Every structure is written in structure tokens, then in C-alpha cells.
């Protein structure tokens, strides 16, 4: 992570930042975030990220009245400049600072805006993927929401890492492909490109949306066995861009040669 961060209108050193210890964000992870790629000192796909932030905030009850798209982007651009972040990533987070109904106070409701930047993630040369034993609940009110309550994803990723993998795909309760712990998934089978539909509970990733807009792709509700039988598999996220998978569980995959790999970063 870079030296300077943005907290509610101020740019300060990261070690000096703090948030309320008695907020619903601290207690329960009540917040939403988006990770944004930085290229040539500019945030990529900003309008897509803002649209999802606003939609997700509404779903979990976070008030963005005091934070417009214009002011949030301006804060992001100022931080990118302060950190001289020509290439990398940023995380924009909105958190509910109120304690909530169980631990109440008389304070006015406040939404905290936090922005950080960092270098790009390192993508493994031989990307190993596994199927997680931890199912995603497609009926959860958080399904498809990029909330700060990411513990299930982290536990699933920790399990995969302990078993020697770099990422894990989580099936839903119906055994359908959803997405990775930190990524969306695409696969090619018999010459066609597929990705899970949002009905599976998968995250509406901004890179996923960009890929669907940029190449022919079918959104499907597919059993996990179809992913295991794929000719090639690709993972997408702001952090890794578009990466080809070299191995799923014990099965090696053919070298990837689909035009999807040439789409990132966006022109």
C-alpha cells in the first residue's frame, strides 16, 4: 500500500488513519468497496465502478447523500497524484460509522469514505485454480454485493492457498459455477466462451462487465463439472486484469489463445 490515504476529505499518512471502533462497519463489516485499476495515472472504468458502488450501498443501507460521483472521483484522482501512482490499483470504500441498533448512540449517521492506492498484484506464471468446498448462498442478501464483509471469501481463499492453489471457484448451493474468491471466471468449451450469469449469485465485476461488452460470451447457469471440463479458463478482476489458468485441481489446461487476453487494459 502507498504512503498517503484519503479519509473523508483529508489526505493523511496511512499510519495516522483511524475509524470508529464502535461502528457497524467495525462490528459487522457494513460497508461496500470497489477496487479500481490505475493506468497512466488515471482510474479505469470509473463509471462502472461508481454505478456498482451506488447500487451496492443502496442494497445494504449505506447513505451516500454526502458523496457524489464527481467529488469521489476528484478525491481519488487527488490521491493518485499525491502517491504518484502511475500504474497500480485503488480501493474506494464507503463504511457506515454508526453503531447500529444493538449498540446505540445519539450521534448522527455518518458514512465514511476511505481511498487507498497500491501497486498492481503479482500474477503467478502458473495460475493454479481449485474448486472450493465452501458453497456460496445465492439467496443471501449479500449475494452479488461487494461488501466489506469478505470473511467467507478470505476463508475459502486461505483454504485454497493451504492446498497449494492461487484461487478457488465457489459453487453455489445448486452446484453451479459462481466465481472465484477474488475474481470472476470465464471458460471456453467447444469453441464458445462462457461466464456465470448473475442469477448464480456471482459478483457483477467491472472487468467481467467490460469483457462481456467487448467479446462474444454467453452468461449461463452451469454445473461445476462443466468448468472442470473446460478447454481453457480465465480469471478477471481489477487486481489481476485477465489471467489464464494453467491448472484446475490436478488437471493441466491447454495454453490459452483466446482474444480475451488482449482486452486488458482497456484502450
Amino acid at each position: 500500500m502507498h504512503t498517503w490515504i484519503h479519509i473523508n476529505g483529508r489526505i493523511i499518512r496511512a499510519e495516522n488513519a483511524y475509524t470508529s471502533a464502535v461502528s457497524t462497519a467495525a462490528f459487522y463489516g457494513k460497508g461496500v468497496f470497489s477496487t479500481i485499476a490505475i493506468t497512466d495515472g488515471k482510474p479505469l472504468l470509473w463509471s462502472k465502478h461508481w454505478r456498482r458502488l451506488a447500487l451496492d450501498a443502496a442494497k445494504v443501507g449505506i447513505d451516500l447523500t454526502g458523496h457524489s460521483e464527481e467529488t469521489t472521483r476528484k478525491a481519488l484522482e487527488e490521491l493518485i497524484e499525491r502517491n504518484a501512482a502511475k500504474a497500480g490499483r485503488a480501493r474506494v470504500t464507503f463504511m457506515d460509522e454508526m453503531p447500529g441498533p444493538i449498540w446505540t448512540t445519539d450521534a448522527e449517521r455518518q458514512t465514511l469514505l476511505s481511498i487507498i492506492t497500491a501497486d498492481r498484484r503479482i500474477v503467478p506464471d502458473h495460475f493454479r485454480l481449485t474448486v472450493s468446498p465452501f458453497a456460496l448462498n445465492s439467496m443471501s442478501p449479500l449475494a452479488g454485493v461487494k461488501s466489506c464483509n469478505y470473511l467467507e471469501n478470505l476463508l475459502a481463499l486461505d483454504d485454497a492457498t493451504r492446498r497449494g492453489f492461487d484461487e478457488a471457484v465457489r459453487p453455489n448451493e445448486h452446484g453451479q459455477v459462481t466465481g472465484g474468491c477474488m475474481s470472476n471466471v470465464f471458460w471456453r468449451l467447444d469453441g464458445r466462451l462462457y461466464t456465470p450469469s448473475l442469477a448464480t449469485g456471482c459478483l457483477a465485476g467491472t472487468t467481467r462487465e467490460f469483457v462481456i461488452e467487448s467479446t462474444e460470451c454467453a452468461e449461463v447457469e452451469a454445473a461445476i463439472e462443466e468448468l472442470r471440463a473446460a478447454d481453457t479458463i480465465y480469471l478477471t478482476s481489477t487486481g489481476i486484469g485477465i489471467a489464464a489458468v494453467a491448472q484446475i485441481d490436478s488437471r493441466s489446461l491447454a495454453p490459452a489463445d483466446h482474444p480475451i487476453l488482449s482486452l486488458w487494459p482497456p484502450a
Side-chain angles (χ1 to χ4, degrees), residues 59-80:
K59 288 177 182 177
V60 301
I62 294 177
D63 181 13
L64 295 188
T65 302
H67 302 277
S68 69
E69 178 178 1
E70 180 181 1
T71 58
T72 305
R73 174 161 185 162
K74 182 179 178 181
L76 171 59
E77 291 176 338
E78 288 175 350
L79 183 66
I80 289 172

Side-chain angles (χ1 to χ4, degrees), residues 134-140 143-144 152-153 170-174 178-179 200-203:
F134 306 118
L136 182 149
N137 178 10
S138 66
M139 299 302 293
S140 166
E152 280 194 6
N153 297 60
R170 296 181 66 192
N172 64 16
E173 72 274 26
H174 305 296
T178 64
T200 64
C202 80
L203 181 72

Side-chain angles (χ1 to χ4, degrees), residues 104-118:
T104 59
T105 70
D106 296 329
E108 292 185 9
R109 178 169 295 278
Q110 179 180 350
T111 298
L112 181 141
L113 168 62
S114 166
I115 308 175
I116 62 175
T117 64

Side-chain angles (χ1 to χ4, degrees), residues 24-32 60-62 94-97 109 147-149:
T24 52
F27 285 164
Y28 314 114
K30 188 176 179 182
V32 295
V60 301
I62 294 177
F94 289 106
M95 294 179 284
D96 191 338
E97 287 277 87
R109 178 169 295 278
S147 81
C148 294
N149 191 335

Side-chain angles (χ1 to χ4, degrees), residues 121-136:
R121 283 178 58 191
I122 297 174
V123 180
D125 293 331
H126 189 85
F127 212 120
R128 296 175 175 86
L129 179 68
T130 188
V131 176
S132 176
F134 306 118
L136 182 149

Side-chain angles (χ1 to χ4, degrees), residues 20-51:
S20 172
V22 293
S23 68
T24 52
F27 285 164
Y28 314 114
K30 188 176 179 182
V32 295
F33 75 97
S34 197
T35 305
I36 302 163
I38 303 170
T39 298
D40 296 327
K42 301 294 182 183
L44 295 181
L45 305 178
W46 166 253
S47 61
K48 295 182 186 298
H49 286 284
W50 175 259
R51 184 175 69 248

Side-chain angles (χ1 to χ4, degrees), residues 178-190:
T178 64
C181 304
M182 301 291 170
S183 61
N184 287 106
V185 61
F186 291 77
W187 67 94
R188 189 180 62 173
L189 182 63
D190 298 331

